[in-house]
Amino acid sequence: MKRRKLIAVGFVALAALVFAIAAGGVSGATKAKSITVWLQVDAQSGWPDVVASATNAFQNAHPGVSVNVQYQSWPTHLQKFDATLAGGNAPDVIEMGNTEMTKYMAAGAFQDLTADKGTFANASTWLAGLAASGRYNGHVYGVPYYAGSRVVTYRTDLFKKAGIKVPTTLAQYTADARRLDAKFGKQGFSPVYIAGEDWYVAMGFVFDYGGNIATRVSGKWKGALNSPKSVAGLTAFKNFFNAASHGSKTTFVMPSHTKGQVMPGFLGGSDLAVPVGADKALAEDWIRDFTSNSAEKALEAKGNIPNTTSLFNPTKINERAAARSWFVPTAKHWVDVETGNVLRTMLAELLTGKYSVKQAATFASDNITSTLNQS
């Protein structure tokens, strides 16, 4: 409870700070002679040529406007960003981790890009998990940049000895797990390793079956884990967990319960946002160049996942895994759901049999509803 209060105080302070900056107004006219872009050091070491190419394209369209790219580090960039907001000198473009977006969107730290969404390349086919992280209350505040996916690691030698191949459906994978357990099972062996309270894995099952964690209804959040589809997903997770095992060495995509599809995964990744006080027009133009088809293809060539399914290469395992993705509710109090261990508690209750899947999901949904609708 004490931690929740500390988070709330920090949030209010940020909200007040951003409101003060926003009250100063943002000029609709482009007068800047330069823009400042904050990217993470990943770009500096991994794809400086992509950054340079986008900057060159931008400057060709805006003669006389310079671009000051400043590279930041993940552990310190938010603290530095808060300081620039306080000082009224925030960058024009900032890279944010997808899980970092909600706090700042809710506080009003970013400019609304909704009206211009269609001007960004592939906006209609942005990765679902990244696109969701840049939306708040129906408005767009972040443009997907690039992503990373999760795949299954497994022992090819054990698969070969058990006479099984890479599964293409969840039912097949569950049967394979039981087969591995029967052949190699002994103390300390588990055919697939999943931590029982790993809610990132469990929620993949929920979304695979068409369920959700929470939805917006008439402007209010409503927990959805006890909906029929969510319960079906949680039941499938419990059944799979009970047949579980461990593997390593190589990778394959977690299969869906529907043949030919992959299970939705929680994507890691980044968005690009325009802070309040920035030159919105110029910032958007630079983002357009940096997320163009050519730029995203160049990022893909460096081993990243592009921000759109339209550029996916079906032969690349990481892109197949990212084809379906999900994201947590973009509510300012979602952090309280996580720190309150609501989902972890639910999984422990349903896996141990303390409550039925429906009962545990209902308790969690009620908790999520009340938590997300706090003022």
Side-chain angles (χ1 to χ4, degrees):
M1 182 60 69
K2 183 176 181 182
R3 186 175 181 182
R4 286 190 183 185
K5 288 182 178 178
L6 287 173
I7 291 171
V9 170
F11 179 85
V12 170
L14 174 63
L17 168 65
V18 173
F19 178 79
I21 296 172
V26 178
S27 174
T30 298
K31 300 178 180 179
K33 294 299 182 183
S34 67
I35 62 170
T36 298
V37 175
W38 280 19
L39 296 177
Q40 294 298 319
V41 292
D42 310 82
Q44 183 180 32
S45 60
W47 44 94
D49 54 325
V50 182
V51 178
S53 179
T55 296
N56 288 336
F58 170 87
Q59 291 179 318
N60 286 337
H62 299 281
V65 179
S66 62
V67 179
N68 179 18
V69 179
Q70 299 177 3
Y71 293 100
Q72 311 297 325
S73 63
W74 289 112
T76 62
H77 81 118
L78 293 183
Q79 182 179 3
K80 290 179 65 175
F81 182 42
D82 291 346
T84 66
L85 289 174
N89 60 336
D92 296 279
V93 177
I94 184 171
E95 175 185 351
M96 299 285 289
N98 59 342
T99 59
E100 298 171 340
M101 287 290 294
T102 298
K103 171 184 174 182
Y104 289 88
M105 291 190 296
F110 299 136
Q111 297 191 48
D112 191 338
L113 309 181
T114 308
D116 301 324
K117 176 187 174 184
T119 67
F120 296 99
N122 304 301
S124 63
T125 55
W126 282 342
L127 300 185
L130 280 190
S133 71
R135 289 194 303 266
Y136 185 76
N137 284 348
H139 293 262
V140 176
Y141 295 94
V143 175
Y145 170 15
Y146 74 101
S149 61
R150 291 167 169 80
V151 294
V152 179
T153 59
Y154 73 106
R155 290 274 299 275
T156 55
D157 57 335
L158 297 187
F159 269 46
K160 184 176 182 180
K161 290 177 181 177
I164 59 179
K165 299 179 180 179
V166 172
T168 58
T169 66
L170 179 59
Q172 184 183 349
Y173 192 17
T174 303
D176 289 344
R178 293 195 176 99
R179 189 168 178 176
L180 287 166
D181 196 37
K183 186 171 182 63
F184 304 108
K186 59 183 178 180
Q187 187 175 5
F189 177 84
S190 185
V192 179
Y193 177 75
I194 300 176
E197 297 180 5
D198 189 337
W199 61 270
Y200 288 102
V201 174
M203 292 306 103
F205 284 75
V206 168
F207 282 88
D208 187 40
Y209 277 76
N212 210 322
I213 298 173
T215 58
R216 294 274 286 181
V217 179
S218 300
K220 295 288 186 179
W221 286 100
K222 180 177 176 56
L225 288 172
N226 59 341
S227 69
K229 290 181 179 179
S230 293
V231 169
L234 288 171
T235 300
F237 169 74
K238 181 177 181 178
N239 292 339
F240 180 75
F241 183 86
N242 288 337
S245 52
H246 174 75
S248 63
K249 305 300 184 190
T250 335
T251 61
F252 63 86
V253 177
M254 185 68 179
S256 165
H257 73 289
T258 303
K259 188 173 183 178
Q261 293 188 2
V262 299
M263 183 172 289
F266 184 90
L267 293 180
S270 291
D271 297 316
L272 298 167
V274 180
V276 293
D279 189 304
K280 183 180 179 183
L282 289 178
E284 285 187 331
D285 280 352
W286 190 89
I287 293 174
R288 288 187 189 96
D289 289 324
F290 195 51
T291 58
S292 65
N293 273 347
S294 59
E296 291 295 330
K297 287 179 180 178
L299 285 172
E300 182 183 40
K302 305 287 185 179
N304 300 300
I305 297 175
N307 68 359
T308 170
T309 57
S310 66
L311 295 179
F312 275 13
N313 181 339
T315 66
K316 294 189 175 183
I317 191 72
N318 62 337
E319 294 182 11
R320 287 176 53 209
R324 299 177 70 203
S325 54
W326 59 274
F327 194 67
V328 298
T330 51
K332 70 178 183 180
H333 285 292
W334 173 254
V335 65
D336 295 334
V337 174
E338 289 198 28
T339 59
N341 290 321
V342 175
L343 297 179
R344 295 169 70 91
T345 299
M346 175 192 70
L347 295 177
E349 290 173 345
L350 66 86
L351 288 175
T352 60
K354 180 178 181 180
Y355 297 112
S356 68
V357 172
K358 178 72 172 181
Q359 289 173 325
T362 298
F363 294 150
S365 287
D366 290 344
N367 195 333
I368 289 172
T369 298
S370 61
T371 301
L372 296 189
N373 288 312
Q374 296 177 86
S375 59

